[in-house]
Amino acid sequence: MSTEKIRMTYREGLRQGLRDALRKDANVFLMGEDVGRYGGSYAVSREFLAEFGPDRVRDTPLSESAFVGAGIGAALGGARPIVEIMTVNFSLLALDQIINNAASLLHMSGGQFNVPLVIRIGTGAGRQLAAQHSHSFEGWYAHIPGIRILAPATVEDARGMIAAALLEPNPVLIFEHVMLLSMEAEVEERPPHVDIDFAKVRREGEDLSLITYGGSLPKALEAAEILEKSGVSAEVLDLRTLRPLDDASIQKTIQKTGRGVIIDEGWRSGSLSSEISARISEQAFSVLKAPIVRICTKEVPIPYPRHLEEAALPSVKEIVDAGLNLMGKNVRI
Amino acid sequence: MNTDVQGLKFYREMLKIRRFEERSAELYGEMKIRGFLHLSVGQEAIAVGVMPALHQEDSVVSAYREHGHAIARGVPLESIMAEMFGKAGGCSHGHGGSMHLFHKPSRFYGGSAIVGGGLPIATGLALAEKMKWKETVSACFFGEGAMAEGVFHESMNLAALWKLPVLFLCENNGYAMGTSIDRELSRTDLVQKAKSYGVAAIQVDGMDVLSVAKEAKQAADYVRSGEGPFFMEFKTYRFRAHSMYDPELYRSKTEVDVWKKRDPLLHLEQKLKESGVFTDDNRIQMERDVDSEIEAAVQFAEASSLEPVEDLMKNVMRERGRSEY
Amino acid sequence: MYEFKMPSLGAEMESGRLVEWKIKVGDHVKRGDIIAVVDTDKAAIEIEIWKSGIVKELILKPNEKVPVGTPMARIDLEDEVPVVPQVTVKPQKTLAIQKAIALVMESSKRQIPHYYIARRVKALDLQQWLKSENASHGIGEQILLIAPILKAIALACRQFPEMNGRFQNQEFIPSHEVNLNVVISLREGGLIAPAIVNTDQLSVQEIMKALMSLVERARSGSVRSSELSEGSITVTNLIESEAELVFGVIYPPQVAILGVTRVNEETLNLSLSGDHRVSDGHQASLFLKQINQLLEKPERL
C-alpha cells in the first residue's frame, strides 16, 4: 500500500469515492436530480456523465418519491443504485418510500427481500438558506430500524464510506454535511478501507468527552484546542455511524473521562443527543462525575440572516463554555 | 390454447380465489385471521386473466387487496393461508399478514398497504431489468384510488420518460375505500390520464376474464418488446365491503346487486355452458375440488408453527456478505 | 349440527348486539346468505353465514348483547364440509427439513458458479427392453424406468471424473467411487437425497432394490447420515411429473446434479447443472451424450 499523501477536499473525496464505485462495479449507477449534465448540485458528480454515460448517471425528474422508490425497485431487481437526494428537506417527499418500503421490506417479507440501496443526502445548515433548506434530520432517520445511517465528518470518511456502504446488503443513508464540502485535508493517495461499524476517537483526552458527528466535528475539534489552552483535556469522539450506534465506543470514552458533552445539529427534543444521553445514563451512570450536557440547534425554524442563523446553531463557544463549566472553571452558559 | 379449455382453467382459478377469500372471511369471524382483511370478491377476473400474460422471470408488485394476485401468480395456497394465520409456514413467514404477501420464487413483491406505494418499486424493477437488457415485464396492480396520489403521477412520468417496461394494471372498482370515483377525481377518464403522459392505454371489461386475458397478452407483449410502459384500466366492482368492519354506508344495495349480475364467474359459467363444455355437475365437482384444496391449506395453516419469539429481531438488517444480489 | 357464533369483525370488536334475525326456524339458508344484523360499537353490520342447511334454533334474541364467539343459532347442515384428502401435515418436521435444505441450497448458489445444459434422449428402445425385462420378473421385482437410467449415469460418471467428485478447500478431487445421491421427496414435504453406494457396480435389478429400500427408509426417517454425505453426484428424478426440465441446485461439495424428466412416451430429457470451476458446457454435453449412448443399448447395462 502506497503511503503517498495528497490533499483533497471533502467534495473531491465524495467524488473520488463515487467514481471508484462506478468504475469498480458495472451494476452501480447514480441517479438523482441534476447529477448528470449539471454535474450534481454540489458538483460532486462533475464529469461523471461523460465518463459513465446517461444510463449510469441518470438525471431524474423532481420526483423524490418516484426516484427513491425506483431505487428500491432497482435494488430489488439486482442493480446497485446510488440515489442522490439533493438536500435532506427534499427527502421528506420520499419518506414514505424510505420507511414503508426500504426499511420494512426485509422484515415484512420474512427475510426474502433485502434492499441494497445507497441514498446520499446533503444535510445541515450554515449557508443562510433559511427554514426549508437547513435541516438536520439524520437523527430522525436514525430512529428507524432497518436502515443504516452514516455521517462522514472527515475527507477520508467522505471518500471511503461509499465503498463501505456498497458492501451493505441493506439500505444505507449517507448524510453529507454541506458545510464540510470545501474542507481540505491530507489523505493517503490510495483510499484505505473505511470501517463503518465503529465510531472513532479523533482526539485523545482525559477530562471530558465531546461526542459528535458530521458537521459538528470540526467545531468540537476547534473547541478541544481552545480547552487545551485552559488546561482542559477533551477527548473527541466522532460517531460516524448514527444507526446502529457504536455503544461500546461511547461507553468507553465516558468510562475514561466521566464527563460528556454531546454536540448535535438536530433540534434538541427527541434528538440523537437525547438517545446518546439516555444510553450513557443507562449504562455508565455510576462513573459520571457530572450530568451530561447537550448542545443542539435552538428549537426554531432556521432563520435567514447570518447572525440569527449562527445564534441558532451549536457554536464553538458554546462547546468551550460547556467544557469549562463541567470542569468547574466558573463560566456561565 | 383452445378458448374452452382456457375458459375452464380460468373458471377454476377464479373459483379458487373466490372460495379462498370467502373462507378467509369466515376464519376472520372466528378470529383465526386478524389485522385488516381486504377481499377482492368480484374482481377475480383481473388477476386470473392477467397472469397468463406474464412469464416466470417477470415481476409482480401488488397492493393490499392482493390474495387473488398471489394465488393466480402461483404463490402456494397453503403459504398464503398460513401467512394470514401469522404462522411460520406463511409466504412471508407470518411477518406480513394479509396485506403483505411476498414470494421470491414467484417474483411476487407484495403486498403494499400504502396506496400507490408499489408503483415506483415496479418502476425501479423495470429499470433494473432494462439496464440488464432483459426483455421482462414489471407488472403493477393498484386501484383507481392510487391515481389521486402524487406518486402515481411521478411513477407514470418516470416510466414514460425512461421508456421502462412497466405494465400498469389499474383495477377500477369505483371506490377508494368508501369514496366513489366521481367524488375523488376531477376527471374520471383514467385512460386519458395515462395517455397524457404519453403512455399507451386501454380500458377493459374487468368482469370478463377472456377479454382481460386477451388484452393483457397484447399489452404485455407490447411492454416486452421495448415500446415502453402500458396502462390498463379494468372496470370492475368489489362485491364485498372494503374490509371486514365496514357497514357500507357509502353505496346502495341496488348498485351492488346490479354489479353482481355481472359476476365474472357467472358470466364465464354461462359462456362455457353455451359451448357445451360445462354443466352444473361440473361446477359442483369443481367447487368440491377447490374446497378440498382450500381445506388442506387451512389445515396446513392451523398446524404450522409460530415463529419463535427469539427470532423477533431477525431480518431487521441482513448480515453483511449475505446478499444474493 | 353447526353452531353459528357471533363473529369478530375486527380486533376492536369485543361483543355484538343482535338487532334482528333475517331468518326463522325451519328456513333453508345457503352459504353467503345474510342471516342477521348485528350492532357493534362501530355500526350495524349484516352478518352472513358460510354453510348451507336448515335453521334449527335461534338461540339469541334481538337486543341481546353477547361476546364474540357466543353461539347465536343452530343449523342442520345439508352438506358436510368437503372431505379433505388425507394430507398428513407435520409442519414442524417439514420446516426443519426445509430450513436445512434452504441453508445448503443458499450456500451452494452463493459459492458455486452453476451452468446449465440439457439434451433429449430417445427412450423407445429402453421402454421396450424394460417391458420385456419386467415380463420375466415377479410382481415384487418390477423395475422402474429410473433404475437403468441411474445405471447409465453411473457408468458415464466413470468416464467423466469431472462430474463425479467433490470440490473442497478450493480444490476438486474426483471420487473413486460412483455414489449416486437420489432425491426423494418426503410425504410431509421437503426433500432428502441419500446415496446408492457404488451404483456403477450394481446390476439394474440391484439398483432398483437399493432405491426402493432408500425411499422406504427415507420416508420412515431412518436414513443413515453417512448415506447423505457419501454421494459423489446427485440425480433428481421427475419422470413421473409433468415437468420437462429441471435444473437443480448442486449439493455441495458435489459438482453436478442431473435431472431426468419425460417429454413424451418416447423421449426423456437429461438436464445438468454443473460447477463451472470444475467442468464446462462442452464436457457436460459429451457426458450427456455418453449417457444417451449407454441408454441406446439397455441390454448391456
Side-chain angles (χ1 to χ4, degrees):
Chain A
M1 171 91 52
S2 155
T3 50
E4 253 346 80
K5 297 273 186 181
I6 49 168
R7 285 193 79 76
M8 65 165 68
T9 60
Y10 186 93
R11 185 194 319 274
E12 284 161 352
L14 291 171
R15 187 183 297 143
Q16 193 189 327
L18 273 176
R19 196 197 286 120
D20 288 351
L22 283 158
R23 282 182 183 164
K24 198 173 145 205
D25 182 354
N27 249 335
V28 171
F29 71 99
L30 176 69
M31 68 172 157
E33 291 154 356
D34 277 325
V35 297
R37 287 201 186 194
Y38 190 100
S41 60
Y42 295 113
V44 167
S45 48
R46 210 179 55 213
E47 290 165 10
F48 280 21
L49 184 62
E51 181 175 351
F52 303 106
D55 239 24
R56 295 184 62 209
V57 181
R58 288 182 170 263
D59 281 322
T60 64
L62 310 186
S63 310
E64 285 79 4
S65 195
F67 70 73
V68 170
I72 298 168
L76 288 170
R80 213 51 179 91
I82 300 175
V83 172
E84 175 176 313
I85 300 179
M86 202 183 283
T87 54
V88 69
N89 37 79
F90 297 132
S91 79
L92 300 185
L93 297 166
L95 206 53
D96 165 51
Q97 289 299 324
I98 295 171
I99 299 177
N100 282 315
N101 286 331
S104 309
L105 272 166
L106 181 66
H107 201 262
M108 192 161 76
S109 68
Q112 292 176 88
F113 294 113
N114 63 312
V115 183
L117 168 69
V118 175
I119 304 178
R120 298 174 40 238
I121 308 179
T123 190
R127 304 195 319 153
Q128 285 191 263
L129 294 178
Q132 294 180 334
H133 267 331
S134 304
H135 299 110
S136 289
F137 285 139
E138 51 278 359
W140 245 28
Y141 281 101
H143 176 65
I144 301 155
I147 52 181
R148 183 184 267 272
I149 309 295
L150 306 182
T154 64
V155 174
E156 187 176 86
D157 277 0
R159 184 174 58 166
M161 277 193 182
I162 307 264
L166 285 168
L167 292 174
E168 277 286 311
N170 304 296
V172 180
L173 276 61
I174 306 180
F175 287 85
E176 302 162 1
H177 200 287
V178 295
M179 291 305 285
L180 299 179
L181 285 165
S182 303
M183 177 176 74
E184 234 182 55
E186 202 161 69
V187 289
E188 280 178 38
E189 190 178 0
R190 289 176 54 185
H193 171 69
V194 167
D195 193 336
I196 52 176
D197 285 337
F198 302 104
K200 210 162 183 171
V201 174
R202 298 292 184 190
R203 182 193 169 103
E204 298 269 356
E206 304 296 330
D207 299 331
L208 56 87
S209 305
L210 303 179
I211 301 171
T212 190
Y213 68 90
S216 301
L217 178 66
K219 294 180 188 175
L221 288 169
E222 195 185 329
E225 290 278 333
I226 298 171
L227 284 167
E228 178 91 66
K229 287 172 192 146
S230 307
V232 177
S233 164
E235 178 147 304
V236 178
L237 182 70
D238 174 8
L239 294 168
R240 305 170 79 237
T241 292
L242 310 188
R243 180 178 193 97
L245 274 174
D246 176 10
D247 252 337
S249 293
I250 296 171
Q251 301 311 326
K252 192 174 163 200
T253 185
I254 292 296
Q255 294 286 345
K256 180 176 173 188
T257 65
R259 299 181 186 86
V261 179
I262 306 164
I263 307 108
D264 179 1
E265 204 180 303
W267 288 307
R268 186 190 187 96
S269 304
S271 65
L272 193 71
S273 69
S274 324
E275 176 62 25
I276 296 164
S277 171
R279 290 192 191 198
I280 292 171
S281 59
E282 283 161 1
Q283 297 170 39
F285 186 76
S286 59
V287 304
L288 284 180
K289 297 171 187 155
I292 295 295
V293 177
R294 290 188 287 151
I295 297 172
C296 303
T297 292
K298 309 295 172 296
E299 306 217 0
V300 59
I302 307 293
Y304 163 68
R306 175 172 295 282
H307 70 293
L308 292 181
E309 184 182 42
E310 278 174 357
L313 298 174
S315 67
V316 174
K317 183 173 183 307
E318 279 178 293
I319 305 169
V320 172
D321 288 352
L324 294 174
N325 195 45
L326 267 182
M327 298 308 292
K329 307 253 176 183
N330 286 334
V331 177
R332 261 188 298 146
I333 56 167
Chain B
M1 203 190 298
N2 173 314
T3 1
D4 289 335
V5 177
Q6 193 188 37
L8 286 168
K9 227 180 122 202
F10 286 168
Y11 187 87
R12 191 191 159 101
E13 199 68 7
M14 289 198 292
L15 185 70
K16 198 203 280 185
I17 296 173
R18 172 79 49 98
R19 305 287 275 208
F20 181 90
E21 293 208 301
E22 287 176 347
R23 186 78 173 99
S24 306
E26 187 181 359
L27 290 161
Y28 194 93
E30 293 169 15
M31 295 187 275
K32 296 284 186 191
I33 299 174
R34 294 281 83 183
F36 284 146
L37 181 70
H38 308 94
L39 304 178
S40 67
V41 174
Q43 306 181 193
E44 298 91 342
I46 303 163
V48 170
V50 165
M51 289 311 173
L54 301 179
H55 300 172
Q56 191 57 43
E57 66 274 18
D58 293 341
S59 41
V60 181
V61 178
S62 184
Y64 55 80
R65 199 180 299 286
E66 90 282 36
H67 309 142
H69 305 143
I71 294 171
R73 180 62 178 171
V75 179
L77 207 61
E78 68 277 9
S79 77
I80 301 174
M81 190 56 91
E83 186 57 35
M84 297 205 284
F85 275 57
K87 297 290 188 73
C91 56
S92 311
H93 293 215
H95 285 226
S98 157
M99 296 190 287
H100 304 303
L101 305 176
F102 290 89
H103 194 241
K104 197 166 184 178
S106 318
R107 301 205 69 183
F108 192 80
Y109 292 89
S112 174
I114 307 294
V115 176
L119 288 156
I121 304 273
T123 306
L125 280 161
L127 173 61
E129 296 291 302
K130 186 177 168 153
M131 287 176 74
K132 289 186 257 175
W133 299 98
K134 286 194 182 162
E135 288 176 351
T136 54
V137 174
S138 172
C140 188
F141 289 95
F142 54 97
E144 87 290 347
M147 291 181 65
E149 294 279 3
V151 74
F152 167 78
H153 300 276
E154 292 187 16
S155 302
M156 276 309 258
N157 180 52
L158 197 64
L161 183 71
W162 290 352
K163 265 188 130 182
L164 301 178
V166 189
L167 183 55
F168 290 99
L169 302 162
C170 176
E171 299 182 308
N172 176 7
N173 66 16
Y175 287 88
M177 212 168 125
T179 306
S180 60
I181 185 165
D182 52 329
R183 292 177 53 237
E184 190 197 15
L185 299 178
S186 65
R187 305 296 292 266
T188 55
D189 185 341
L190 308 184
V191 164
Q192 200 52 46
K193 272 182 203 273
K195 283 186 175 167
S196 77
Y197 287 103
V199 173
I202 52 162
Q203 189 190 65
V204 184
D205 177 3
M207 306 308 262
D208 176 4
V209 67
L210 296 172
S211 14
V212 171
K214 184 166 151 267
E215 299 296 342
K217 174 81 174 67
Q218 282 183 15
D221 287 349
Y222 171 95
V223 173
R224 206 179 298 284
S225 67
E227 298 285 322
F230 198 102
F231 175 95
M232 302 183 81
E233 177 200 355
F234 301 101
K235 289 283 274 181
T236 185
Y237 200 78
R238 144 169 77 68
F239 292 168
R240 296 181 58 88
H242 164 71
S243 64
M244 297 306 289
Y245 213 177
D246 163 16
E248 297 183 68
L249 304 171
Y250 48 84
R251 62 183 188 184
S252 72
K253 275 208 145 51
T254 334
E255 183 185 294
V256 180
D257 289 339
V258 168
W259 273 95
K260 276 190 175 169
K261 293 204 176 80
R262 299 188 46 206
D263 187 329
L265 277 156
L266 215 58
H267 184 81
L268 182 60
E269 183 180 342
Q270 277 157 4
K271 229 176 204 171
L272 292 171
K273 279 180 174 167
E274 279 162 25
S275 304
V277 295
F278 198 58
T279 62
D280 280 336
D281 283 348
N282 292 148
R283 180 176 50 76
I284 291 166
Q285 186 54 45
M286 220 185 247
E287 284 173 357
R288 287 231 161 95
D289 292 351
V290 162
D291 283 350
S292 331
E293 214 180 316
I294 293 165
E295 281 323 302
V298 174
Q299 277 200 8
F300 175 86
E302 283 279 8
S304 181
S305 58
L306 290 167
E307 280 266 281
V309 176
E310 304 83 78
D311 286 352
L312 171 68
M313 301 306 289
K314 219 174 71 181
N315 296 324
V316 176
M317 299 282 270
R318 175 161 289 179
E319 62 271 37
R320 220 172 276 154
R322 234 212 82 197
S323 170
E324 283 108 277
Y325 293 118
Chain C
M1 187 68 68
Y2 166 70
E3 271 190 347
F4 181 80
K5 295 176 181 142
M6 177 65 74
S8 163
L9 301 169
E12 68 271 40
M13 176 177 168
E14 287 170 2
S15 60
R17 184 179 62 85
L18 178 67
V19 176
E20 60 169 320
W21 281 114
K22 296 275 191 187
I23 48 167
K24 53 186 189 306
V25 173
D27 275 1
H28 181 255
V29 290
K30 60 180 201 312
R31 180 191 161 86
D33 281 354
I34 303 293
I35 61 161
V37 178
V38 166
D39 204 7
T40 69
D41 299 336
K42 191 168 169 180
I45 299 210
E46 291 180 330
I47 303 292
E48 63 204 306
I49 187 157
W50 298 105
K51 311 248 188 286
S52 304
I54 308 288
V55 181
K56 265 310 220 217
E57 185 191 351
L58 299 177
I59 305 168
L60 210 62
K61 302 279 171 305
N63 257 326
E64 275 186 282
K65 187 173 172 180
V66 292
V68 294
T70 308
M72 293 173 70
R74 285 197 181 88
I75 315 284
D76 238 349
L77 293 185
E78 67 178 16
D79 200 8
E80 275 309 308
V81 195
V83 182
V84 181
Q86 265 318 303
V87 283
T88 352
V89 192
K90 289 185 194 155
Q92 298 292 359
K93 189 174 173 191
T94 307
L95 280 171
I97 294 168
Q98 281 172 344
K99 260 186 189 160
I101 295 173
L103 280 175
V104 175
M105 295 297 103
E106 202 180 276
S107 85
S108 166
K109 268 284 187 179
R110 248 196 348 256
Q111 288 161 10
I112 303 178
H114 286 64
Y115 69 87
Y116 308 99
I117 186 166
R119 75 158 287 155
R120 292 193 167 198
V121 171
K122 289 207 186 70
L124 209 54
D125 290 348
L126 182 62
Q127 303 265 28
Q128 276 171 357
W129 172 80
L130 198 62
K131 217 171 165 183
S132 64
E133 277 291 300
N134 279 336
S136 62
H137 290 307
I139 290 172
E141 294 165 344
Q142 295 290 301
I143 296 170
L144 295 176
L145 189 56
I146 188 64
I149 296 173
L150 290 177
K151 180 70 190 277
I153 294 170
L155 291 176
C157 277
R158 278 201 221 156
Q159 285 162 279
F160 291 81
E162 61 273 26
M163 298 294 163
N164 185 59
R166 297 176 185 83
F167 190 93
Q168 276 167 321
N169 305 324
Q170 298 304 308
E171 193 187 4
F172 174 66
I173 300 163
S175 169
H176 298 301
E177 297 178 331
V178 181
N179 301 337
L180 290 191
N181 274 19
V182 187
V183 179
I184 297 167
S185 60
L186 302 178
R187 290 201 184 89
E188 64 269 41
L191 302 168
I192 191 166
I196 301 175
V197 179
N198 293 329
T199 318
D200 57 328
Q201 292 169 28
L202 302 177
S203 71
V204 173
Q205 189 77 27
E206 286 169 329
I207 291 176
M208 192 63 222
K209 272 188 189 148
L211 184 64
M212 293 317 291
S213 149
L214 271 189
V215 170
E216 207 175 304
R217 287 190 292 118
R219 292 191 172 151
S220 66
S222 55
V223 170
R224 293 186 299 275
S225 64
S226 66
E227 286 174 307
L228 295 175
S229 57
E230 60 201 351
S232 52
I233 181 173
T234 300
V235 176
T236 177
N237 166 25
L238 288 177
I239 293 179
E240 299 307 324
S241 77
E242 281 175 17
E244 285 201 7
L245 278 176
V246 53
F247 289 110
V249 178
I250 296 169
Y251 185 62
Q254 294 175 19
V255 294
I257 178 167
L258 193 59
V260 189
T261 46
R262 190 204 298 270
V263 182
N264 53 45
E265 275 310 306
E266 303 167 18
T267 320
L268 297 172
N269 258 333
L270 293 175
S271 39
L272 182 115
S273 311
D275 184 342
H276 223 317
R277 297 171 300 184
V278 178
S279 62
D280 58 33
H282 178 65
Q283 293 165 312
S285 71
L286 293 175
F287 176 58
L288 297 184
K289 191 175 167 192
Q290 177 63 22
I291 299 171
N292 182 43
Q293 277 175 2
L294 287 162
L295 287 173
E296 276 173 1
K297 305 243 178 321
E299 66 282 359
R300 293 193 189 168
L301 287 171

